[in-house]
Amino acid sequence: MASVLGSCSTAATLAPRRLSSRTSRTSIPSLSTCPGKSFGSKFYGGIGIHGKKRSQFHVTNVATEISPSEQAQRVAAKENQRPVYPFAAIVGQDEMKLCLLLNVIDPKIGGVMIMGDRGTGKSTTVRSLVDLLPEIKVVSGDPYNSDPEDPESMGAEVRESIVKGEQLPVIKTKINMVDLPLGATEDRVCGTIDIEKALTEGVKAFEPGLLAKANRGILYVDEVNLLDDHLVDVLLDSAASGWNTVEREGISISHPARFILIGSGNPEEGELRPQLLDRFGMHAQVGTVRDAELRVKIVEERARFDKNPKEFRVSYEAEQEKLQEQIGSARSYLPSVQIDQDLKVKISKVCAELNVDGLRGDIVTNRAAKALAALKGSDKVSPEDIATVIPNCLRHRLRKDPLESIDSGLLVMEKFYEVFS
């Protein structure tokens, strides 16, 4: 496989009737076929990108040395992990893969909602993202994965230590991906306070939950449309504010909880509340592969993985490393990407004419288009970049019309070509 992300059907083939004459764009070399449904322009992959480093807020009182024993423990832990299916080995579903990559490049896009038929590889693809996640600096031993260079992502104890001038050990680690089980309790998600210890010893004894572990990482909710409403509300509050607050018996504790929210589900099992849908930056639709040869290839690749997972992963190491480098380059290149004022106005005009509530659609489309430009190695957003991402950014924000038979992604593309032509 030359690259994970191949060129898919252009929006011109999906846009109805009169739109086909308006879709002339610069051609991109074809990389692979895409059996699933996709909107907008072609997807990109396998591009070497080199850009400027992101400027950071520096804190001087930290130590970055890792002891040999710690290094050996990390290597041993990695060896003992359950083998994960490689992201590069997933056939098709390019729309879903692109949305996930763009969110890794720019976490501020706001996550992905993946909806589609059962057995289409939604969970497998999300969990395979773990290997591609870049390393980040964290304060060693801190339960909130505090960033030693960003006060907004620090727990209270780390912030106090830095103010006092104490030296903190800093290590580099992979971004966390936390799986939220459907049966999780609110205490397990938010964390618990030991009331007895607080009353007898006068200290705040807090046991961090999954939201603390997910800080500066990814929170994945499989079958999100089956999640209890009260847990959905907790996730919404944390996703909106970036903080989790636990209050018990007059004791209040807050900690940072900035995470990329990824959800997957089957529409047959029920629709999501509009409030929850709006919190997801992008929406990817996946469908069953209909091409017989591709189906055979998927079956054969899965059989190879089940037979010998380690050998299968080794066969995709080069492509995995190439994707890792591409993501790292795109993340560093992102701050230098610009978007013309004219294109910003047109994006907002599309949102306004589609009656999209609020401004999240405008913001996410701008961010996603910049991330795609960075992925391509360009310092400027093109209309083609916007055409690729705008259906995924807006389709789930449209008001539902029970009498409308046209797919919402097509409605977005139709309006896009009206405005951008």
Side-chain angles (χ1 to χ4, degrees):
M1 185 185 294
S3 171
V4 171
L5 300 180
S7 65
C8 299
S9 302
T10 62
T13 62
L14 293 163
R17 300 174 304 277
R18 63 187 182 284
L19 303 177
S20 57
S21 61
R22 303 176 183 174
T23 57
S24 59
R25 292 190 292 272
T26 306
S27 60
I28 304 296
S30 176
L31 299 172
S32 69
T33 59
C34 175
K37 185 191 299 181
S38 60
F39 303 106
S41 184
K42 301 179 180 180
F43 298 149
Y44 306 91
I47 306 169
I49 306 168
H50 303 282
K52 300 176 182 177
K53 296 282 184 184
R54 178 185 296 185
S55 60
Q56 294 181 328
F57 167 74
H58 294 284
V59 179
T60 56
N61 57 327
V62 293
T64 56
E65 293 80 10
I66 303 175
S67 66
S69 60
E70 272 187 278
Q71 188 68 33
Q73 285 177 359
R74 290 170 63 184
V75 171
K78 188 174 181 181
E79 288 294 325
N80 293 329
Q81 283 178 350
R82 186 175 61 182
V84 178
Y85 199 84
F87 191 89
I90 293 170
V91 179
Q93 311 299 12
D94 289 323
E95 180 179 329
M96 170 172 57
K97 291 189 287 187
L98 182 67
C99 288
L100 291 172
L101 289 180
L102 295 184
N103 272 270
V104 172
I105 293 168
D106 184 4
K108 291 183 179 178
I109 287 174
V112 190
M113 166 56 69
I114 303 167
M115 296 296 282
D117 305 330
R118 53 189 177 274
T120 49
K122 300 185 292 295
S123 300
T124 301
T125 305
V126 174
R127 294 188 174 105
S128 71
L129 196 64
V130 172
D131 288 339
L132 300 181
L133 299 179
E135 289 191 336
I136 56 173
K137 288 182 180 180
V138 301
V139 176
S140 180
D142 181 68
Y144 312 117
N145 303 313
S146 293
D147 186 346
E149 300 177 343
D150 181 10
E152 290 297 317
S153 299
M154 291 179 185
E157 291 180 3
V158 171
R159 192 177 300 179
E160 288 173 9
S161 299
I162 287 182
V163 169
K164 291 176 183 176
E166 297 176 8
Q167 191 176 55
L168 298 174
V170 175
I171 62 172
K172 273 196 167 185
T173 184
K174 281 276 190 181
I175 291 177
N176 269 339
M177 176 177 284
V178 177
D179 237 322
L180 181 67
L182 283 178
T185 63
E186 188 172 344
D187 283 348
R188 181 70 186 100
V189 174
C190 299
T192 57
I193 297 174
D194 189 335
I195 301 298
E196 183 180 352
K197 191 173 183 179
L199 294 176
T200 56
E201 301 180 21
V203 295
K204 292 182 178 180
F206 180 63
E207 183 67 31
L210 294 177
L211 291 180
K213 190 178 179 182
N215 185 41
R216 301 181 65 211
I218 293 175
L219 183 65
Y220 175 50
V221 188
D222 195 8
E223 307 295 351
V224 66
N225 42 352
L226 300 180
L227 198 65
D228 290 340
D229 282 349
H230 71 282
L231 283 182
V232 169
D233 293 333
V234 168
L235 295 181
L236 292 183
D237 289 342
S238 297
S241 64
W243 286 83
N244 175 44
T245 302
V246 181
E247 298 201 16
R248 299 285 188 277
E249 304 297 331
I251 300 172
S252 179
I253 293 178
S254 295
H255 66 79
R258 299 173 184 272
F259 50 82
I260 302 171
L261 185 59
I262 297 179
S264 66
N266 183 348
E268 294 177 356
E269 294 169 344
E271 293 295 327
L272 281 169
R273 287 160 49 186
Q275 303 96 308
L276 180 58
L277 269 178
D278 187 55
R279 296 292 186 185
F280 288 93
M282 304 182 79
H283 184 285
Q285 285 185 348
V286 293
T288 304
V289 175
R290 301 300 177 190
D291 184 275
E293 291 185 5
L294 281 176
R295 290 171 75 109
V296 170
K297 182 177 181 181
I298 293 169
V299 171
E300 289 175 344
E301 292 289 271
R302 184 69 211 192
R304 279 182 56 209
F305 176 77
D306 291 338
K307 184 178 180 180
N308 192 331
K310 286 189 177 181
E311 183 181 302
F312 184 80
R313 285 173 57 81
V314 168
S315 68
Y316 278 95
E317 263 185 8
E319 291 182 52
Q320 291 281 100
E321 288 175 5
K322 188 177 182 181
L323 267 175
Q324 281 181 317
E325 291 174 6
Q326 184 178 347
I327 291 170
S329 298
R331 282 169 69 96
S332 63
Y333 200 69
L334 183 64
S336 64
V337 177
Q338 302 295 322
I339 180 168
D340 290 340
Q341 183 67 23
D342 177 54
L343 294 181
K344 291 180 183 178
V345 172
K346 287 182 177 179
I347 289 172
S348 291
K349 189 175 180 183
V350 171
C351 294
E353 294 192 7
L354 286 171
N355 295 318
V356 174
D357 293 331
L359 294 173
R360 282 200 183 96
D362 308 55
I363 295 169
V364 170
T365 305
N366 278 270
R367 286 192 177 279
K370 283 185 176 182
L372 179 55
L375 188 64
K376 293 165 53 184
S378 172
D379 61 356
K380 205 169 186 179
V381 172
S382 68
E384 186 178 35
D385 299 329
I386 299 170
T388 302
V389 301
I390 198 168
N392 304 109
C393 298
L394 299 184
R395 66 149 67 97
H396 56 301
R397 305 180 197 276
L398 302 188
R399 294 182 182 179
K400 301 295 181 185
D401 183 355
L403 301 178
E404 184 62 73
S405 59
I406 300 177
D407 182 85
S408 55
L410 285 176
L411 291 176
V412 173
M413 287 312 300
E414 190 172 59
K415 186 60 65 178
F416 170 84
Y417 286 120
E418 283 181 18
V419 173
F420 278 76
S421 60

